[in-house]
Amino acid sequence: MANKALVAYVPALHAGYVSFFKKHREANFFILGKTILSQIPRLERDIRALDPKEICLAVVALTIFPSVSILEEEAVGSSLADYKKIILPDEDVSRDFAKRSLSNKEVFFESIFLRWDRVISTKEFEVPYDR
């Protein structure tokens, strides 16, 4: 078993995700499942988001990771129990999930732009008018 897990919300597969995945190819990959995503109400409005099962099939077809699976709420503890390092993209869904479900684990947030989230779209990150 790999000692590193990569966990992410992947609403739509694009080149940014593939690059992120290849950087962590030795990790086992866990896609956030519906029981976890249902706890974040605004995600239900994301009409571009594919079902986690479709994302899983697409990521498996890329043959990047030793294993790819969907992570559901009831299996978080048992699925991630043996991992020494859990990596998540630094975005709002990952931080919310880690706060609720990984409080007893050491997690690492990787700064990478994969999608517009609440933090990126706030005024604090607004581009100055003269830029």
Side-chain angles (χ1 to χ4, degrees), residues 8-20:
Y9 167 53
V10 184
L13 195 57
H14 58 70
Y17 280 103
V18 174
S19 177
F20 178 57

Side-chain angles (χ1 to χ4, degrees), residues 13-108:
L13 195 57
H14 58 70
Y17 280 103
V18 174
S19 177
F20 178 57
F21 297 163
K22 286 181 177 177
K23 184 175 177 183
H24 300 286
R25 67 177 56 248
E26 73 284 355
N28 288 327
F29 182 50
F30 295 89
I31 299 162
L32 295 181
K34 286 184 176 183
T35 56
I36 294 170
L37 299 176
S38 68
Q39 298 175 31
I40 306 168
R42 72 183 187 289
L43 293 181
E44 67 197 19
R45 295 178 288 192
D46 191 354
I47 62 171
R48 70 190 171 96
L50 294 172
D51 186 276
K53 290 179 185 175
E54 294 170 318
I55 292 294
C56 186
L57 289 171
V59 174
V60 166
L62 293 172
T63 65
I64 295 172
F65 298 107
S67 76
V68 179
S69 55
I70 298 171
L71 185 63
E72 298 294 355
E73 186 67 32
E74 64 278 359
V76 170
S78 60
S79 296
L80 300 177
D82 296 330
Y83 292 97
K84 301 201 182 333
K85 188 172 190 180
I86 300 174
I87 299 169
L88 300 99
D90 190 4
E91 47 96 33
D92 59 346
V93 173
S94 295
R95 286 200 172 271
D96 182 69
F97 166 69
K99 183 179 180 181
R100 278 186 294 99
S101 304
L102 301 176
S103 59
N104 62 340
K105 294 292 234 174
E106 187 173 6
V107 297
F108 301 87

